[in-house]
Amino acid sequence: MQQPQLHYYDIGTGVVAFSTTRHGGYSTGSYAGFNINRYCGDQEEDISRNRKALCTLLGISDERLLMPHQVHQTRTALVNEALLALTERQRREALEGFDALTTNLRSVCIGVSTADCIPILLYDHAHHAIGAVHAGWRGTAARIVEKTVAEMTAAYGTHPEQLRALIGPGIHLDSFEVGDEVYDAFAQAGFDMPAISCRKEKWHIDLPECNRQQLLAAGLPPTSVSVSPICTYQHAADYFSARRLGINSGRIFTGIMIVA
């Protein structure tokens, strides 16, 4: 079995948190070698074999590895026992159109799929709850991570000051060149533009910093927010980058699971 090579994060005791890399797995071409996203054109047989390898590594069954079909909006799905009891087809339908997942179930790995967008993991150690957020530029401008923190507060009694957050590998300021319409979207959303952007030949936006600022605004202490130094565009040999490889390529899976 081609074991996936994961990049692990220390986000707290009792949880496993990670991002997949391009190494290990069965996918080929621009999907090589590890991809479990069914919505980017990869072969279903390769995806199934990759899922099996990841589940084996995590020690869980396939129905406990969950990823939504993301649509660059701000909806959060709560993963509970009722969702797990659905058939595979029903689970896929139930997770259609969400960009964040939360759960307080043990041995359930939730995660999001990215290839330049920003993945964010959340861990509430006091209430044993976790979250995974997909923040592309649209979701970031619409403050999806702030909304997910609020959803966790409503669902689990989460206190933001007790959360830990990990902003995973994604495209960084130097590589994220955008048009005026993207810059204007952030400005109109009330972001501190001098702190999150710079002008070169075109505007550049710092998506990790945008999401870090949102987490602080939501009430997380600065010491509880970690930011990956990995820019996917600059490290496309190890992490998928849609801007480097095209949209018909694989995706990083950034996941989190309560284990104790």
Side-chain angles (χ1 to χ4, degrees):
M1 179 177 287
Q2 294 280 357
Q3 181 170 293
Q5 296 183 25
L6 309 182
H7 182 90
Y8 290 97
Y9 307 108
D10 180 10
I11 197 172
T13 57
V15 294
V16 172
F18 63 89
S19 291
T20 60
T21 69
R22 296 189 65 189
H23 307 296
Y26 296 93
S27 296
T28 60
S30 58
Y31 301 96
F34 188 87
N35 170 65
I36 61 169
N37 185 308
R38 288 188 164 101
Y39 307 103
C40 59
D42 198 3
Q43 298 295 315
E44 180 62 33
E45 179 182 357
D46 293 338
I47 293 167
S48 295
R49 295 172 80 188
N50 288 336
R51 284 183 63 95
K52 182 178 180 180
L54 180 57
C55 287
T56 298
L57 184 60
L58 296 174
I60 59 175
S61 53
D62 185 80
E63 70 271 9
R64 301 180 82 84
L65 176 62
L66 299 172
M67 178 183 71
H69 184 197
Q70 302 155 187
V71 292
H72 295 274
Q73 295 183 12
T74 61
R75 297 172 68 204
T76 300
L78 189 153
V79 175
N80 52 25
E81 293 288 0
L83 180 70
L84 296 182
L86 300 176
T87 66
E88 180 182 357
R89 179 177 178 179
Q90 289 171 331
R91 280 196 304 277
R92 287 198 207 180
E93 291 174 351
L95 296 177
E96 175 72 31
F98 291 91
D99 284 83
L101 300 179
T102 67
T103 192
N104 61 355
L105 301 179
R106 285 172 169 76
S107 300
V108 173
C109 182
I110 59 172
V112 291
S113 182
T114 60
D116 291 333
C117 293
I118 307 301
I120 303 152
L121 301 178
L122 303 168
Y123 176 42
D124 176 356
H125 61 87
H127 298 89
H128 301 288
I130 53 178
V133 182
H134 161 249
W137 77 259
R138 290 179 178 85
T140 299
R143 302 183 184 275
I144 183 174
V145 73
E146 285 188 65
K147 294 177 180 178
T148 306
V149 171
E151 292 281 355
M152 291 183 69
T153 297
Y156 312 115
T158 294
H159 298 289
E161 65 271 14
Q162 295 177 325
L163 273 174
R164 292 192 65 183
L166 181 284
I167 298 172
I171 196 164
H172 284 204
L173 174 68
D174 287 347
S175 301
F176 190 46
E177 183 181 88
V178 301
D180 289 346
E181 72 283 358
V182 175
Y183 178 92
D184 291 343
F186 280 89
Q188 291 167 11
F191 285 89
D192 179 358
M193 299 312 294
I196 66 155
S197 67
C198 67
R199 180 82 184 188
K200 298 183 181 179
E201 292 184 5
K202 291 187 176 181
W203 285 110
H204 287 239
I205 298 287
D206 191 337
L207 288 182
E209 177 61 18
C210 289
N211 285 284
R212 191 187 74 88
Q213 288 188 10
Q214 289 182 52
L215 288 164
L216 300 185
L220 277 71
T223 54
S224 295
V225 182
S226 300
V227 182
S228 170
I230 296 167
C231 172
T232 47
Y233 185 85
Q234 297 294 337
H235 294 86
D238 298 314
Y239 295 89
F240 290 110
S241 168
R243 285 202 171 197
R244 282 281 196 193
L245 303 169
I247 60 171
N248 294 319
S249 58
R251 303 292 188 268
I252 304 160
F253 178 74
T254 296
I256 186 167
M257 179 174 70
I258 303 170
V259 295

